[in-house]
Amino acid sequence: MAPQSEALHQFCDLLQKFQTGTLVTHSGNGALHGRPMAVAQVEPLRHGCDLWFVTGLDTPKMDEIRSNDQVLVAFQNRNDQFLTLSGRADMVQDPEKTEELWGDSLKLWFPQGQSDPNLILLRVRAEHGDYWDRGNFTKFSFALGAAESSAQTRGLGGAAQPANPSGMAH
């Protein structure tokens, strides 16, 4: 497997380990607005490593996404690992996908269940990602796009080098 392909697989695998992230959107006045969101699903790399969330249609974040669909999701865990993913967000109404992502804990926000008129799926289509591991002093980035895909690693404070995810902590 090519190093950049390995790095992308590593990134997607790492993303699976995070259950909650901070979704950052652009508010109407140009300021950034973040809020914690439970990740409903991370698509495997063959489907773009996209993120799925279940949310309410009548929330301010949805108004912000309608105005500017460029978002960032930031993650941190207790092992000094940090990950960001940026991309375009879109609202999806798909009964089959809703059923796939549905869990009983969602009844708290959507008392009418999967058919709740306020329920909407939010998909973040991955375009760029960064990962830092302070325990191993490792950083790598990737860009996803139709024209190119790139990945690089960087020792914290060091120069960029071709991706080498084998030195990363799991």
Side-chain angles (χ1 to χ4, degrees):
M1 186 178 296
Q4 79 186 74
S5 181
E6 263 185 67
L8 292 173
H9 280 280
Q10 180 77 16
F11 186 87
C12 245
D13 289 345
L14 288 165
L15 191 54
Q16 298 278 353
K17 297 179 182 181
F18 293 90
Q19 298 174 345
T20 304
T22 300
L23 174 68
V24 181
T25 57
H26 300 266
S27 67
N29 64 3
L32 297 175
H33 182 203
R35 80 281 293 148
M37 297 281 295
V39 177
Q41 185 180 63
V42 178
E43 292 281 356
L45 183 57
R46 70 181 181 278
H47 296 292
C49 207
D50 295 343
L51 296 176
W52 286 89
F53 301 95
V54 179
T55 190
L57 189 57
D58 65 355
T59 60
K61 72 179 152 293
M62 300 315 287
D63 293 333
E64 293 167 356
I65 289 168
R66 283 184 199 96
S67 295
N68 184 340
D69 65 352
Q70 186 68 46
V71 301
L72 178 124
V73 187
F75 301 90
Q76 176 181 353
N77 68 20
R78 294 181 183 171
N79 299 322
D80 283 336
Q81 294 174 319
F82 307 85
L83 189 144
T84 61
L85 182 140
S86 61
R88 303 277 176 191
D90 53 79
M91 294 172 262
V92 177
Q93 289 184 313
D94 178 341
E96 288 179 20
K97 190 68 174 177
T98 300
E99 185 174 348
E100 178 185 341
L101 300 178
W102 183 258
D104 286 338
S105 62
L106 293 169
K107 287 181 184 177
L108 178 65
W109 289 279
F110 306 103
Q112 296 178 38
Q114 296 177 37
S115 61
D116 194 304
N118 190 43
L119 186 148
I120 189 83
L121 303 179
L122 180 65
R123 176 178 43 209
V124 176
R125 294 182 183 270
E127 293 177 354
H128 180 84
D130 292 294
Y131 169 75
W132 300 264
D133 185 333
R134 287 195 318 194
N136 286 337
F137 302 103
T138 303
K139 177 198 187 242
F140 73 83
S141 298
F142 79 89
L144 284 175
E148 75 177 89
S149 176
S150 65
Q152 65 180 4
T153 63
R154 179 184 311 264
L156 296 181
Q161 301 170 7
N164 180 7
S166 61
M168 307 240 345
H170 292 277

